[in-house]
Amino acid sequence: MAKLISKTYGDALFETAMEKQCIDSMFAEAKTVLEALQTNPDFGRLMNHPKILKEEKLQVLEEVFKGRVSDEMTGFMTIVIKKDRFAEMEEIFNYFISKVKEYKKIGVAYITTPLAMNEIQKANVKERLLATTPYEEMEIHYEVEEDLIGGMVIRIGDRVVDSSIQTKLSNLEAQLLKIQLAN
């Protein structure tokens, strides 16, 4: 249900940004609002509190965001609150940000390696990803996981390329167990 809500509202925000030709500014504002929501959990608790009237929540929203973000963004958040969907606000903005990144051909990759990569290695990986994907720009998040032993795991959206030695050893072990069981 939450995915449907975030998609519905995120698509509406995207369409508004396209119509008003302000995709870049709405993208920047969405990231700013999302960061504000994530760094201030008390604000979320206040906005989700059942005993606080909707009118009071709207007033708080105006005081916090009016003049800091566009009227379109404030208006959008007002609609979300009026529809009692503030609890899904972060997911809505995450969906919108992802949709804009797809539109702008910005890929998001999560790369896990057993050791930290140096800048040359990172540049080589980025260059290779740009050459083998339809993206024109790549946002890469690196993570170190020593259990991988060697190789790397690359995740872009729902695609995963796992060339880690840990996975290769697990696959080999499974194949050996099949052979052993067959005999």
Side-chain angles (χ1 to χ4, degrees):
M1 181 73 162
K3 279 193 173 194
L4 178 62
I5 292 166
S6 62
K7 181 181 179 344
T8 302
Y9 284 88
D11 284 340
L13 183 59
F14 183 79
E15 291 301 320
T16 301
M18 292 295 286
E19 284 174 20
K20 304 255 183 195
Q21 298 179 345
C22 60
I23 199 89
D24 291 331
S25 61
M26 292 285 262
F27 179 59
E29 286 181 0
K31 291 194 294 188
T32 301
V33 171
L34 181 61
E35 183 181 334
L37 294 175
Q38 291 172 336
T39 56
N40 298 300
D42 289 339
F43 181 72
R45 283 192 282 280
L46 171 77
M47 297 304 278
N48 285 315
H49 199 285
K51 293 190 178 181
I52 297 177
L53 298 173
K54 207 177 285 188
E55 291 75 25
E56 291 175 297
K57 292 177 183 179
L58 292 170
Q59 187 177 356
V60 169
L61 178 78
E62 287 281 324
E63 289 174 15
V64 171
F65 291 105
K66 190 77 170 169
R68 292 182 177 89
V69 296
S70 66
D71 290 343
E72 288 86 3
M73 185 61 76
T74 307
F76 174 76
M77 291 189 293
T78 299
I79 292 169
V80 172
I81 291 170
K82 283 181 179 178
K83 298 286 186 181
D84 290 322
R85 297 293 186 196
F86 187 84
E88 289 87 13
M89 188 79 80
E90 285 186 35
E91 285 135 24
I92 291 167
F93 283 124
N94 279 324
Y95 177 86
F96 171 75
I97 290 166
S98 295
K99 187 155 177 107
V100 172
K101 285 180 181 177
E102 281 296 317
Y103 172 76
K104 295 174 72 113
K105 296 186 184 285
I106 300 171
V108 180
Y110 296 88
I111 299 178
T112 308
T113 56
L115 300 170
M117 297 172 70
N118 64 38
E119 293 306 313
I120 294 170
Q121 291 169 323
K122 288 179 180 180
N124 289 338
V125 168
K126 184 175 185 175
E127 184 180 315
R128 182 83 171 123
L129 288 175
L130 288 171
T132 58
T133 63
Y135 300 112
E136 296 172 2
E137 199 175 318
M138 193 61 70
E139 179 182 302
I140 303 177
H141 304 273
Y142 295 96
E143 184 181 341
V144 173
E145 191 177 302
E146 293 175 3
D147 293 346
L148 293 181
I149 304 168
M152 69 175 58
V153 178
I154 302 171
R155 184 172 61 85
I156 301 174
D158 58 356
R159 293 185 352 215
V160 177
V161 176
D162 188 342
S163 66
S164 66
I165 292 177
Q166 177 190 31
T167 300
K168 289 179 181 177
L169 287 173
S170 295
N171 292 342
L172 182 60
E173 179 183 26
Q175 288 174 348
L176 289 173
L177 284 172
K178 284 181 185 176
I179 293 170
Q180 195 174 34
L181 292 174
N183 291 334

